[in-house]
Amino acid sequence: MDVTIRRARIGDVRAMRRLLDGYATQGILLDKPTVTLYEDVQEFWIAERDADAEVVACGALHVMWEDLAEVRTLAVHPDCLGHGVGHRLLDKLLETARWLGVRRIFCLTFEVDFFTRHGFVKIGEADEIGVGPGIFDELMRSPDEGVAEFLDLEHVKPNTLGNTRMLLHL
């Protein structure tokens, strides 16, 4: 399948919304308000099918700290699964992380095998995340739910879907 991986634009948000809705209703991805997609559009990359310019995948890279980012909201249209679109999109997110100078990438996922093929490993308790007390305290100040998920804080556990916390060292 021929796709072009590019930065998301405002005009892509409605297509991204449709992609996410399918997975959110199945409990595979946490739902995001549409306003959040607009606010964070600069973090997203999309895969656009060359044949018809349809948005068939999206994913975001959210920087959490000077050496830490999270892959978020990675979704591929069900008709495009198995064609390498998700791998190409994740490769672009990791390339972006390297360009930014990020050394560690976090994700919260059900797709453990997919992320493992890219070098991610499962992490457990908060002491495995490799942040010192000062950085932990700074991260605790963030209102971002993804940061709380990374830190494995109790208040986000009722909101998570039972997925796996993973980390990649670049």
Side-chain angles (χ1 to χ4, degrees):
M1 175 175 293
D2 293 326
V3 297
T4 298
I5 308 295
R6 64 167 175 78
R7 285 281 191 184
R9 298 186 288 254
I10 295 296
D12 299 319
V13 170
R14 291 190 190 280
M16 292 164 45
R17 169 84 277 149
R18 287 189 298 274
L19 276 173
L20 302 179
D21 284 347
Y23 289 107
T25 58
Q26 297 175 51
I28 295 171
L29 283 177
L30 292 172
D31 194 17
K32 283 188 180 281
T34 302
V35 67
T36 302
L37 296 175
Y38 281 111
E39 290 171 344
D40 297 341
V41 73
Q42 71 278 358
E43 296 181 352
F44 278 87
W45 289 81
I46 60 113
E48 182 178 77
R49 188 168 37 215
D50 291 346
D52 58 7
E54 181 181 350
V55 173
V56 295
C58 66
L61 182 72
H62 178 77
V63 174
M64 298 164 65
W65 193 250
E66 67 184 9
D67 67 340
L68 178 66
E70 179 183 9
V71 169
R72 292 184 171 179
T73 322
L74 184 59
V76 177
H77 190 283
D79 293 344
C80 299
L81 294 173
H83 294 279
V85 175
H87 291 286
R88 288 189 53 209
L89 188 55
L90 180 57
D91 286 344
K92 179 53 84 173
L93 295 173
L94 298 179
E95 177 186 316
T96 303
R98 286 182 184 95
W99 182 84
L100 288 169
V102 172
R103 295 190 316 264
R104 295 179 301 153
I105 310 291
F106 168 73
C107 72
L108 190 62
T109 185
F110 285 113
E111 299 296 331
V112 174
D113 291 340
F114 172 82
F115 282 95
T116 298
R117 286 192 294 260
H118 288 268
F120 284 78
V121 295
K122 294 179 186 178
I123 58 173
E125 300 301 318
D127 61 343
E128 293 181 36
I129 61 175
V131 298
I135 296 171
F136 186 91
D137 292 343
E138 282 294 320
L139 290 172
M140 286 288 293
R141 295 177 185 200
S142 174
D144 187 274
E145 290 293 308
V147 173
E149 290 163 353
F150 172 73
L151 296 174
D152 201 26
L153 301 179
E154 285 297 321
H155 78 272
V156 294
K157 290 183 182 178
N159 299 324
T160 60
L161 305 168
N163 32 21
T164 301
R165 297 167 70 238
M166 299 186 80
L167 193 65
L168 169 68
H169 292 271
L170 297 175

